[in-house]
Amino acid sequence: MTVAEAEATQQRTPPPPGRRPADQWGTSGLVTQTLALTGRSVRPYLQAGVLIVTFVEPLVMLLMFAGVLKVLGDAPGMPTDMAYIDNLAPAIMIITAVAAGAQAGNGLINDLRNDVITRFHTMPINRFSVLLARSFADGARALYQLIAVAVLAALLFGFAPPGGVAGVVGAILMSLLVGWSMSWIFILMAAVLRNGDVLRMITTLLTFPLLFASNAFVPAESMPTWLRVIAQANPISYANDATRSMVGGQITLAELLATAAACLALVCVCAPISKRSFRVM
């Protein structure tokens, strides 16, 4: 067999089953690549130990806030037409979703530290799909926790809002949208900073006042003047109000559209900057 014949035979030989040649990535679209990379990022979350810890987090939060802070239900300014757990559970959903979204930046830093990002840069894939996959993977983790919050609140504390199941499902989806949009802030910081220790410190400094200096536990009207101003300007307070309206069956179209528009605007600002910063990683 001549050298030319040998090369022709090698070119006609199909790739082994189950393996994707690198050049096929270049012909796949953004959606296909994002789905494949999302599956890769979700797999670590499906381990038994991780699932248990992920389930325990909302349980501890509910026991701590719904149990210890139940006395706040009698505080001045608290709504009297809803039980305290019906008012608190939507806020815990927002807190849970934002906390899960904050992990997206840490996941990107871990991939960078493990040289996974370097391997991605050598493949003919759309690099934005890596960022999308990271945000969707942590969104899937948040969805699992949000369902756990709703179920545990109902079983342990009698969570039964006027909006019924439809209101709870709507609150979960709205919380998921808020957490997913917030995750782009942390993806942006990870792409710019590329330092896990600094990112964790900034995440703590950002999320702690953002979540707790809000109307999550008591109405802003009952706070001191300086804290009331912060809570009323806090976007998390508006997200809490929207989810509470959802579970209460009182959501308006204007409130729904305003929340969705604010979340999408945040993504439209952070995603392009993240993509540009990620390109030079």
Side-chain angles (χ1 to χ4, degrees):
M1 179 181 296
T2 64
V3 176
E5 292 175 343
E7 292 179 353
T9 302
Q10 185 176 6
Q11 291 177 356
R12 289 195 302 268
T13 303
R19 295 184 60 183
R20 177 187 292 271
D23 58 354
Q24 289 189 18
W25 277 97
T27 61
S28 61
L30 176 64
V31 175
T32 302
Q33 295 172 10
T34 301
L35 290 176
L37 293 174
T38 300
R40 167 200 165 270
S41 299
V42 167
R43 273 192 289 272
Y45 295 150
L46 299 180
Q47 299 176 5
V50 178
L51 286 174
I52 293 174
V53 172
T54 304
F55 179 80
V56 169
E57 287 179 2
L59 174 61
V60 172
M61 193 174 299
L62 275 172
L63 292 175
M64 181 172 60
F65 294 126
V68 177
L69 300 181
K70 186 177 180 180
V71 66
L72 295 178
D74 300 326
M78 292 297 294
T80 58
D81 56 338
M82 292 178 63
Y84 182 64
I85 185 61
D86 296 341
N87 194 64
L88 176 66
I92 293 182
M93 290 181 185
I94 293 293
I95 293 175
T96 300
V98 174
Q103 298 301 317
N106 292 326
L108 189 61
I109 291 292
N110 290 334
D111 286 343
L112 178 64
R113 183 181 303 165
N114 297 330
D115 292 331
V116 175
I117 300 301
T118 303
R119 299 174 190 172
F120 286 156
H121 283 345
T122 62
M123 300 174 64
I125 63 175
N126 190 324
R127 296 180 183 179
F128 189 55
S129 64
V130 180
L131 303 181
L132 280 175
R134 172 50 55 188
S135 68
F136 290 151
D138 288 278
R141 178 173 178 265
L143 178 60
Y144 168 70
Q145 288 187 310
L146 290 171
I147 294 174
V149 168
V151 173
L152 291 172
L155 294 178
L156 299 179
F157 299 99
F159 177 50
V165 176
V168 174
V169 172
I172 290 176
L173 295 178
M174 182 173 294
S175 301
L176 197 62
L177 177 61
V178 171
W180 178 72
S181 62
M182 291 289 293
S183 70
W184 283 99
I185 297 178
F186 303 102
I187 290 175
L188 170 60
M189 290 193 295
V192 172
L193 297 174
R194 310 177 193 181
N195 187 308
D197 295 330
V198 176
L199 178 62
R200 280 188 288 272
M201 289 188 293
I202 294 179
T203 299
T204 302
L205 290 174
L206 181 62
T207 57
F208 186 80
L210 193 64
L211 296 176
F212 292 95
S214 68
N215 61 358
F217 306 108
V218 294
E221 293 76 14
S222 64
M223 299 178 180
T225 303
W226 65 272
L227 187 57
R228 184 191 315 142
V229 172
I230 296 175
Q232 291 176 341
N234 191 340
I236 297 299
S237 295
Y238 294 96
N240 290 334
D241 290 338
T243 53
R244 283 167 176 158
S245 298
M246 186 71 75
V247 300
Q250 302 171 346
I251 189 72
T252 62
L253 181 60
E255 193 174 18
L256 183 62
L257 292 178
T259 304
C263 293
L264 294 179
L266 180 61
V267 175
C268 291
V269 170
C270 294
I273 303 175
S274 302
K275 180 181 178 181
R276 181 175 300 179
S277 301
F278 182 68
R279 187 178 302 167
V280 295
M281 265 188 169

